[in-house]
Amino acid sequence: LFDLKVILQQVLEEFDHKHLNLDLPYFTTTIPTTENIATVLWSKLSERPDIGRLDRIRLYEEDDLWADLTAETHARRRASLTRRYHFQASLPAADARVQGQTGHNYALEVTVEGEIHPETGMVTDIGAVDRVVQELIVRRFTDRNLGQDPAFASRPLTGETFARLIWSLLVKAIPTGRLHRVRLVESDELSYEYAE
């Protein structure tokens, strides 16, 4: 791990405190999106056989937005982009003898996979994804009792069914790319993923 850290520092030093468009040759004709930066880093790290076989790169643009490249997606000029959203909702009390509800702070990770567009450098329009998720998920469920949502009138309310419902609401609404996965985080110890 120490050797890997040294190599990573050597590679990343070239990018540190640089104006990506003006100071680096990789972005003279390419937009330095998170996806494109990850692609350049993949190429530079794969030239270093002393680190072993490169399997995955995750590059964070911010805490709630990151791009992933794998050997398979890189070879096909594809990547995935994940955005994390937050909302609060409540559940009916687990014990039927107890009235009331329990509150949860959910984190929802929405991952879109697709080709890195040669002109925009993006897998998807993240602004459009944000609008879709806000409209279809965050506004619908924030500060609501999930047990009163019509979607749960005919199905049990579990983390699994909630994650699957979110998938079904988003899968055809994502503007470009393909919905790859949704991950619903209920706590540090408990999360649910759905993908097809």
Side-chain angles (χ1 to χ4, degrees), residues 4 42 45-57 69-73:
L4 177 60
W42 182 283
L45 288 168
S46 64
E47 295 171 355
R48 304 293 297 260
D50 43 334
I51 67 170
R53 186 178 71 84
L54 194 55
D55 182 65
R56 174 181 299 270
I57 287 180
L69 283 180
T70 64
E72 179 186 344
T73 59

Side-chain angles (χ1 to χ4, degrees), residues 76-130:
R76 296 168 39 219
R77 185 129 174 84
R78 298 176 74 82
S80 64
L81 193 67
T82 301
R83 167 79 87 183
R84 184 184 298 130
Y85 304 88
H86 302 272
F87 64 95
Q88 302 82 33
S90 61
L91 299 170
D95 187 337
R97 298 170 293 174
V98 177
Q99 291 190 354
Q101 45 195 318
T102 58
H104 287 280
N105 291 316
Y106 289 100
L108 172 64
E109 296 173 4
V110 175
T111 302
V112 177
E113 191 261 343
E115 178 184 356
I116 301 172
H117 193 279
E119 291 177 16
T120 66
M122 297 185 296
V123 166
T124 191
D125 178 344
I126 195 63
V129 172
D130 287 344

Side-chain angles (χ1 to χ4, degrees), residues 85 124-135 173-176:
Y85 304 88
T124 191
D125 178 344
I126 195 63
V129 172
D130 287 344
R131 287 187 293 278
V132 165
V133 174
Q134 290 294 328
E135 179 183 326
I174 297 298
T176 54

Side-chain angles (χ1 to χ4, degrees), residues 16 19 30 36 46 48 59 88 91 98 109 124 162 166 170-171 180 193:
D16 194 28
H19 187 296
T30 303
N36 278 337
S46 64
R48 304 293 297 260
L59 180 63
Q88 302 82 33
L91 299 170
V98 177
E109 296 173 4
T124 191
F162 192 20
I166 291 169
L170 293 178
V171 68
H180 179 69
E193 288 190 15

Side-chain angles (χ1 to χ4, degrees), residues 32-47:
T33 60
T34 306
E35 298 95 314
N36 278 337
I37 296 168
T39 300
V40 170
L41 291 173
W42 182 283
S43 298
K44 296 190 76 52
L45 288 168
S46 64
E47 295 171 355

